[in-house]
Amino acid sequence: MSAEEPGPRKPESGAKPGSGASKAAESSGVDLARVALRAAREAARARGDVARQKKQARRGGGLRSGARADGRDPMALGAAINRLINERGWETPAAVGGVMGRWPQIVGEDLAKHCVPQRYDEDERVLSVSCDSTAWATQLRLLAPTLVARLNEDLGHGTVRLIKVNGPAGPARRYGPLRAPGSSGPGDTYG
């Protein structure tokens, strides 16, 4: 091992190797590294664009078509989407969206018929799922730790920390059997 290669990480003072504090530091470090890498790539691309524009100005012209590839060349749709996802930092939401599309394969056909993923909160890493009955909501609450582990296998460690289970919504509240159409209740009869 040379002096430049990092050795095995030692836990910070006061943190045990298996504690949650070191896991939180790792995930924030990975996120910071992604942000720094994206910023470095954008800065390098900007430097390259400026140099190319100066070179074209010296040659006496604006944009010209040439034999080499540049940013104006057509590209495949899949490559364009992947580039957009990487530039915008949408890797995690796109991966979770893929999981929502494969929900029946992940949780099973029976559970998928009654429980549907609604949304993913990237900041809190919470997946909200709605169920069509309280019995299925209870079943999903019991299976939630297993599903979190299975989803993190698919998406990467720590992507989903919690599954929030919502039961069925109750009927709209009605104020009484004798209601005038368009009224907001008994309060609007007095003015």
Side-chain angles (χ1 to χ4, degrees):
M1 186 170 16
S2 69
E4 296 166 1
E5 294 178 355
R9 284 184 35 163
K10 295 180 183 176
E12 297 173 8
S13 63
K16 295 180 182 176
S19 71
S22 63
K23 288 181 183 178
E26 287 177 18
S27 65
S28 65
V30 170
D31 293 338
L32 292 174
R34 283 184 184 154
V35 170
L37 178 62
R38 192 173 300 121
R41 283 181 180 164
E42 289 174 2
R45 187 176 300 123
R47 283 193 307 265
D49 288 343
V50 169
R52 189 177 320 122
Q53 288 172 356
K54 286 181 181 177
K55 187 175 181 180
Q56 287 177 350
R58 280 192 304 245
R59 282 194 228 151
L63 296 174
R64 295 182 184 184
S65 179
R68 295 192 181 106
D70 62 4
R72 300 173 295 143
D73 289 341
M75 59 183 359
L77 180 62
I81 290 173
N82 287 336
R83 181 174 154 191
L84 180 67
I85 287 172
N86 289 334
E87 285 176 355
R88 301 288 173 114
W90 295 340
E91 293 93 357
T92 302
V96 171
V99 165
M100 288 183 180
R102 295 181 290 125
W103 184 251
Q105 290 86 19
I106 293 172
V107 299
E109 293 292 328
D110 291 338
L111 195 60
K113 288 178 187 174
H114 302 283
C115 303
V116 180
Q118 295 297 318
R119 67 183 208 91
Y120 174 70
D121 185 4
E122 187 177 1
D123 296 332
E124 297 192 19
R125 299 177 186 206
V126 174
L127 179 65
S128 298
V129 180
S130 68
C131 299
D132 60 2
S133 72
T134 56
W136 283 105
T138 302
Q139 183 71 20
L140 187 63
R141 283 185 189 101
L142 293 172
L143 292 173
T146 307
L147 288 177
V148 168
R150 194 178 305 168
L151 289 169
N152 284 331
E153 275 180 26
D154 244 5
L155 302 172
H157 181 68
T159 304
V160 177
R161 292 192 330 207
L162 179 69
I163 293 180
K164 181 180 177 186
V165 181
N166 299 319
R173 181 154 182 342
R174 298 193 48 110
Y175 294 102
L178 302 174
R179 248 182 105 182
S183 72
S184 62
D188 73 344
T189 56
Y190 296 106

